[in-house]
Amino acid sequence: MSDRTLLLRNGDVHSPADPFATAMVVEAGHIAWVGSEGAADAFADGVGEVIDLDGALVTPAFTDAHVHTTATGLALTGLDLSAAPSLAAALALVREFAAARPGDRVLLGHGWDAARWPGGRPPTRAELDEATGGRPLYLSRIDVHSAVVTTALLDMVGGDLPRTDAPLTRDAHHAVRGAAFAAVTPAQREEAQRAALAHAASLGIGSVHECGGPQISSEDDFTGLLELAAGLPGPRVLGYWAERDVDKARELGAIGAAGDLFADGALGSHTACLHEPYADADHTGTAYLDTDAVAAHVIACTEAGLQAGFHAIGDAAVSFVVDGVRAAAEKVGLARIRAARHRVEHAEMLSPQTVAGFAELGLIASVQPAFDALWGGEDGMYARRLGAGRARTLNPYAALLRSGVPLAFGSDSPVTPLDPWGTVRAAAFHHTPEHRVSVRAAFTAHTRGGWRAIGRDDAGVLVPGAPADFAVWRTGELVVQAPDDRVARWSTDPRSGTPGLPDLTPGGELPRCLRTVVAGRTVFVRPGE
């Protein structure tokens, strides 16, 4: 925490305390004052540093409420296939990467999406064996619920893993993923974590919610990240551990036995659990938990004073979770369940009944609007997996907000990149118009929403007494954007008394982060500023 007093002036300060604020004072790691340029003169002589904003915008720092930090860093420092336009291009990138990293025990890559490639097929094991020269390779699909690997990695894992060309899912995927990440050296892991946190800071992100777990990372990875972040002047890291062992979660320093505690898988890998079969497969996906298991876990966490939470994407999985939390409420009392703010990650396939269940039970919807931007629309992956009718029901943010369900926005990075303003844009310009929310509501879900999701109602907003977590942005004219075309989509009229935000109309340039401050400490300054 910094005890140096800081005055920022001559800009736009996004604060509900004063919609016309142009200046702000920070003291002892907290916001001390927000107000007008004229009043700022009274502080100028008594502060340790004055920053002339030169018209820049100051907002609360973003919170990304769902991140896999080490995997994000490995994607930044490793092989990223998300932009590969074809199978041939992906194999060429694998070949180059293998040649450039002769010393790696296991080659790690991420982000391929065969659904976007001509022909629509992933690489075969033989193709990958050839491209790597027979070395161990793990390549996760963009949703991280399946992977393709080389023969050498299968040999390294041993056992009776499938030796087909189909991507590995479920237990086989968890086995190869565990072996691949276990081969990452501690030095590689720390390099990746530092890279991820520095990248987050450069995007105006002040906090991340790390979603670790035994099927995702490792205990050493999780505790190492929390220890590293605690000693760095960088983004705060709040940890969730996805295991049904409350004592283990507490021992590891987690604030919840939650995050990616899988109730099901993902739509792209046909492992999300549905009520009705997939449009392009003759099954309904995979359930990893049932209602009784959910109820038992929620009761255990509530009794222990920890958050429970689940990864649930398909409509059947979301129903299991809601029914399980409701059963828990019957045992320990609805008031205690609501006070605990248990979480559901992703929550993509919702019905009016499950939305109402979230509201009744006080569940936090930890959601990723970039999923719709990437996979929504009439021709997107959702429509191929589910048919256009079901696809249009996905990610109904407006219905959640109307029902009073708290939203916390995140990226699920490296599934989609850390990109806070892009995330706000994706929610405000959802492929399905009735699911759109205002830019202001989306911005709140990505700033204050993440704090509320950890039980803090006093943060994520620039008012006196709040933690001094903020970012400074170079951007164009500030506007008030609404999601409904029946009213004016945007307004620049200052008489509304609503603090303006950047114009996020698709196609326009997103704000550029100039500085990020966490607990009063500057953790990023754009070079040249």
Side-chain angles (χ1 to χ4, degrees):
M1 181 178 292
S2 172
D3 37 7
R4 183 170 183 164
T5 308
L6 174 67
L7 169 63
L8 299 94
R9 62 185 305 177
N10 188 28
D12 286 293
V13 178
H14 185 87
S15 172
D18 182 347
F20 311 111
T22 61
M24 182 170 81
V25 173
V26 173
E27 192 170 41
H30 288 76
I31 309 299
W33 172 84
V34 173
S36 68
E37 194 57 35
D41 290 336
F43 295 98
D45 292 337
V47 299
E49 183 181 0
V50 178
I51 294 176
D52 184 346
L53 295 168
D54 188 26
L57 171 67
V58 183
T59 70
F62 287 100
T63 292
D64 192 311
H66 193 118
V67 174
H68 304 287
T69 307
T70 303
T72 296
L74 290 169
L76 290 168
T77 59
L79 176 58
D80 180 2
L81 294 176
S82 59
S86 66
L87 172 58
L91 288 169
L93 288 168
V94 170
R95 200 170 283 113
E96 289 170 19
F97 185 71
R101 313 230 3 153
D104 288 5
R105 282 187 282 179
V106 172
L107 298 165
L108 297 172
H110 169 68
W112 61 269
D113 186 0
R116 292 170 37 224
W117 292 343
R121 76 164 176 88
T124 66
R125 192 152 44 89
E127 287 169 333
L128 294 175
D129 287 347
E130 185 279 325
T132 59
R135 293 168 64 191
L137 167 75
Y138 168 86
L139 281 184
S140 54
R141 189 186 179 280
I142 189 165
D143 62 8
V144 203
H145 284 265
S146 59
V148 289
V149 301
T150 54
T151 303
L153 183 59
L154 291 176
D155 292 342
M156 201 167 98
V157 178
D160 56 353
L161 292 176
R163 298 257 166 173
T164 67
D165 282 331
L168 300 175
T169 62
R170 303 181 62 181
D171 292 345
H173 175 230
H174 295 150
V176 294
R177 181 181 173 85
F181 279 84
V184 173
T185 65
Q188 268 181 301
R189 188 169 65 212
E190 184 176 324
E191 175 200 18
Q193 291 170 346
R194 287 179 179 272
L197 293 175
H199 183 55
S202 76
L203 297 169
I205 296 170
S207 299
V208 299
H209 296 181
E210 164 66 14
C211 292
Q215 295 178 327
I216 301 157
S217 51
S218 69
E219 293 181 15
D220 287 346
D221 180 274
F222 187 76
T223 56
L225 172 64
L226 295 183
E227 188 177 336
L228 174 71
L232 284 178
R236 304 169 192 261
V237 177
L238 293 309
Y240 288 94
W241 184 252
E243 191 170 3
R244 284 187 287 162
D245 182 339
V246 170
D247 293 334
K248 173 63 71 177
R250 179 165 276 147
E251 174 193 322
L252 295 177
I255 60 173
D260 275 331
L261 184 51
F262 295 120
D264 68 343
L267 291 164
S269 298
H270 292 100
T271 51
C273 189
L274 313 180
H275 285 307
E276 301 295 331
Y278 283 88
D280 60 352
D282 61 354
H283 62 84
T284 57
T286 307
Y288 298 124
L289 298 173
D290 60 18
T291 297
D292 290 345
V294 169
H297 185 61
V298 171
I299 290 168
C301 287
T302 305
E303 299 283 8
L306 280 180
Q307 276 179 296
F310 306 90
H311 160 121
I313 286 178
D315 49 2
V318 174
S319 294
F320 296 153
V321 169
V322 170
D323 291 347
V325 178
R326 188 175 283 121
E330 288 169 5
K331 290 274 177 53
V332 301
L334 180 60
R336 290 182 71 192
I337 293 294
R338 288 179 61 85
R341 302 191 192 190
H342 301 307
R343 295 171 55 138
V344 183
E345 309 298 319
H346 316 310
E348 291 200 80
M349 290 185 73
L350 294 157
S351 65
Q353 292 75 28
T354 49
V355 169
F358 273 51
E360 170 202 351
L361 299 163
L363 294 173
I364 304 282
S366 170
V367 294
Q368 296 75 39
F371 288 4
D372 174 74
L374 187 60
W375 297 315
E378 298 296 308
D379 302 317
M381 182 269 286
Y382 291 151
R384 289 196 295 278
R385 292 289 183 269
L386 303 171
R390 271 191 297 179
R392 277 193 291 272
T393 68
L394 264 61
N395 302 301
Y397 304 135
L400 286 163
L401 279 181
R402 277 197 305 273
S403 298
V405 177
L407 299 183
F409 280 178
S411 62
D412 200 8
S413 179
V415 175
T416 64
L418 299 173
D419 179 17
W421 285 113
T423 296
V424 173
R425 172 188 276 172
F429 295 91
H430 196 295
H431 274 103
T432 307
E434 59 261 37
H435 300 332
R436 294 174 181 171
V437 298
S438 69
V439 166
R440 183 183 181 196
F443 176 78
T444 299
H446 216 347
T447 50
R448 199 168 193 180
W451 285 94
R452 285 173 164 162
I454 62 165
R456 290 279 303 270
D457 293 330
D458 61 336
V461 63
L462 301 182
V463 297
D469 289 22
F470 61 89
V472 180
W473 309 90
R474 181 67 62 214
T475 188
E477 187 175 28
L478 303 182
V479 299
V480 177
Q481 283 179 300
D484 192 333
D485 286 319
R486 290 173 300 182
V487 298
R489 176 167 283 288
W490 56 270
S491 166
T492 55
D493 188 342
R495 290 172 300 180
S496 67
T498 301
L501 284 165
D503 184 349
L504 302 184
T505 304
E509 195 174 330
L510 291 172
R512 193 159 51 101
C513 184
L514 307 181
R515 178 185 294 256
T516 305
V517 175
V518 176
R521 281 183 167 182
T522 297
V523 300
F524 167 77
V525 176
R526 181 165 295 282
E529 290 297 330

